[in-house]
Amino acid sequence: MKGSLFLSLMQFALAKQTARERFKYVLLGMAFYPFLSRDNSARAKGGDDSTSSQAGDDIYPLF
Amino acid sequence: MTSGKAPKLLTTGDTTCYQFDAQMGFWGVPSLELEVCYDKQPSILVQHNADGNRDTNSALKSDEKSIVCFGGSHTWGGGVQQGLRYTERLADQTARRVFNLGHCSLGLDQVCLAMLHKSAKYRPEIIIVEQYPWAVHRILNNYVNGYVRPYFYINSRQELKLQKVPTLAKYKTFRRLIGTYYAFRKELREFQSGIDLKQGYDPLADPIFLFWKTRQYDAMYSLLDKILSVMADYCRQNGIKLLFGLGAIHQQFGPKSKSELVDYELPRRRLIECLERNRIAYVDMTDAMMTSHSEQDPVIFADGHINTKGHRIFSEVLHGSLLEKGWVIR
């Protein structure tokens, strides 16, 4: 799972058209990797999308 | 004119009229008064009331019920003077108090939250939601115009959950950091689905219209379906009549698409499926707008927003629908 996220991020960066953009997206990918990895894990377990302080509330159904 | 100053030129994504809101991500600046203009259009006066809505401050009488209108920039009235929008026209036609809670770039997720948290104050008997079908994609965009938006998501147990606006988003620097992450995540997910909205983006070939990208948007329409369910349930619980007004898409006013695989009707059909599944009444403006539109006398501005004529038609069709349903008596 983590390996595939890393691969996705590299493919994502390499798909950019200029060297500057590719470099930017590699940096962003590295910076955001922990958050993306956590989001993916949470989704896989059926939990919240994010473990930030504003936890998701069940909103449906209302009655 | 409010003063001798030149009107402020607004461009796409301009947030002059907006400020941070802890529930909605952003909402109108209260008590704003500003002369603004859009490219090549006459200036208009923007006046927000104490609630931050482009509306008057007049209160309801003790036993009075209202019509509340939600929507995006079409409802807010981009490029149109305040008295000439469909909401004011509808007020004249129905002799009812009509509240305008439209805001630029508002998504249906924010409309849902505003319905739940802001509408009760206006004691609505009828709620109208204006939506042009292309805009349904906003429920996937968690960061817009410099503001972090609250968003719904469906977890693997098929539960609809709400990710609220993070407290730190109150501060611009953190908003940018959080928003940059949300934007990156969205772009990555689109890339993984074979969708690219940045490089070589052509509005006439937006992926949301592409037949072969239909499956990539299934998750979005599933999410939309659940959000609409919340709206429908809230209205049923509170005895409110809910009506969607579906606007025409800008692309439909131009030449027909060169391929049958590029279908400008696609998001409309899918939105209608969701509305019908949730037994939400709707009225489709497309025919009325298209038949009334010409190059010499258009119903839209060059950027696709409905102009004064478009607002007149919008209100006439809405009014006709309300009369037909027996929801208003004049």
Side-chain angles (χ1 to χ4, degrees), chain A residues 4-5 8-9 11-12 15-17 21 24-25 28-29 32 35-36 38-40 42-50 52-63, chain B residues 113 116-117 151-157 159-167 177 180-182 184-185 187-189 191-192 196 198-199 226 229-230 233-234 236-237 278:
Chain A
S4 70
L5 173 60
S8 274
L9 287 168
Q11 287 171 334
F12 183 37
K16 297 302 165 188
Q17 288 194 331
E21 277 213 303
K24 175 186 164 187
Y25 275 76
L28 286 174
F32 294 141
F35 304 100
L36 290 165
R38 184 191 59 195
D39 282 349
N40 285 358
R43 279 181 149 202
K45 288 175 194 166
D48 291 344
D49 200 27
S50 163
S52 71
S53 60
Q54 297 290 333
D57 294 334
D58 289 319
I59 196 120
Y60 178 81
L62 290 180
F63 64 94
Chain B
L113 292 172
L116 298 180
H117 300 298
Y151 63 90
F152 292 102
Y153 62 94
I154 301 172
N155 66 12
S156 59
R157 289 191 289 262
E159 296 163 334
L160 182 69
K161 304 200 88 170
L162 171 67
Q163 181 60 55
K164 295 178 184 176
V165 177
T167 311
L177 285 171
T180 304
Y181 169 63
Y182 282 169
F184 182 87
R185 185 178 64 181
E187 202 183 331
L188 173 64
R189 287 175 181 168
F191 171 76
Q192 290 167 326
D196 187 347
K198 277 196 165 178
Q199 286 169 177
K226 287 196 181 285
S229 293
V230 174
D233 282 349
Y234 173 80
R236 277 187 212 114
Q237 261 196 327
N278 287 285

